[in-house]
Amino acid sequence: MSEAAATTTPPAPEAATTTTTTNTTTTTNKVAIETCVPPPPRPGCDCAVCAPKPAHGETEAQIAPLNSASPFQPYKLIKVELDGTKRPLTDAEQKALEKTHPDICEWNVPLSSGKRRWQKSCQQILKKCTAARKLAWPFLEPVNWEVLNIPDYPVIIKHPIDLRTIETKLNAGQIETPDEFVALVRTVFRNAYVYNKPGDPSGVRECAERLSEIFEKELKKLG
């Protein structure tokens, strides 16, 4: 048993196939493809969580490119003149906009309030994930590798994180962007996927794959 493991949803990848021909007999075997979307690579880190690579006897053919694009896209305020030209807002125009449309001028809402629209969206997605108790149970608290007697865990998993910790950070305004939130949640599932071998009797890897699918589907709804 291991990590509570650890941002558009990629379609479920099809299994890769390998074909072996012996005399007149042809056998085609399907091999599992990685499913948990990795977080963006961290500078200077080439661990299996950040940089997918063959593990547990897998081959390069089983490492499928996963869509890690974020549904949260930045925007810039501009003014379109009558002749069609575009220009940035002046300070006076921006202040007027903040006064008349405070609901869209989120930059004035403190992160610590947890009330920016992207924060609320992230909170709802996290709530959806944690509500799936039969799948979320391994990821609700930090992995206590000493109690679980898995001393290699901190050697393999360089970025331990769990859903409760993410929730606390999000509500406290310690997550500064929606992309940071997405990367953290993806790290939870990737951690479990990387550490636990296929068919692990604890079921943690399967939980990570299934809950990751739920997370990515919820993200896609924002697009």
Side-chain angles (χ1 to χ4, degrees):
M1 182 178 203
S2 71
E3 158 107 293
T7 179
T8 53
T9 298
E14 297 182 358
T17 59
T18 58
T19 303
T20 303
T21 302
T22 305
N23 295 330
T24 59
T25 302
T26 299
T27 303
T28 300
N29 298 316
K30 288 193 173 184
V31 293
I33 293 292
E34 289 206 25
T35 55
C36 294
V37 180
R42 293 170 173 84
C45 182
D46 64 350
C47 74
V49 171
C50 296
K53 61 191 69 175
H56 306 311
E58 297 164 343
T59 66
E60 289 288 351
Q62 294 170 269
I63 308 298
L66 298 171
N67 185 354
S68 59
S70 169
F72 298 97
Q73 298 299 321
Y75 62 87
K76 182 165 78 172
L77 296 173
I78 61 171
K79 182 171 183 178
V80 181
E81 302 288 7
L82 293 177
D83 62 1
T85 59
K86 301 176 182 179
R87 63 171 176 79
L89 297 183
T90 64
D91 289 344
E93 289 169 336
Q94 181 165 318
K95 288 180 180 178
L97 179 66
E98 291 172 352
K99 184 175 181 180
T100 57
H101 295 82
D103 57 321
I104 65 173
C105 300
E106 291 197 318
W107 51 85
N108 288 330
V109 179
L111 276 173
S112 58
S113 70
K115 294 183 179 179
R116 294 191 184 186
R117 284 190 291 180
W118 70 263
Q119 288 176 308
K120 292 180 180 179
S121 295
C122 293
Q123 289 162 355
Q124 288 301 313
I125 292 174
L126 205 54
K127 184 177 180 180
K128 180 84 172 181
C129 290
T130 56
R133 303 290 295 187
K134 291 184 178 180
L135 301 177
W137 64 268
F139 318 115
L140 297 179
E141 304 293 340
V143 173
N144 192 330
W145 57 269
E146 293 176 310
V147 170
L148 295 173
N149 193 29
I150 46 175
D152 62 340
Y153 186 81
V155 176
I156 298 172
I157 301 303
K158 305 296 185 181
H159 315 287
I161 190 69
D162 62 276
L163 297 180
R164 291 288 186 227
T165 297
I166 294 173
E167 180 181 37
T168 298
K169 290 167 68 70
L170 179 64
N171 293 338
Q174 295 174 357
I175 296 177
E176 298 185 357
T177 67
D179 284 347
E180 182 183 355
F181 166 79
V182 171
L184 286 172
V185 177
R186 284 177 171 167
T187 300
V188 171
F189 304 134
R190 281 292 301 178
N191 282 351
Y193 185 89
V194 167
Y195 184 79
N196 295 279
K197 296 180 180 180
D200 185 272
S202 71
V204 172
R205 181 176 167 126
E206 180 183 357
C207 286
E209 292 181 299
R210 292 175 61 188
L211 196 56
S212 174
E213 290 179 358
I214 292 174
F215 175 70
E216 298 297 332
K217 286 179 180 177
E218 291 301 310
L219 278 183
K220 190 175 182 180
K221 292 177 183 178
L222 301 178

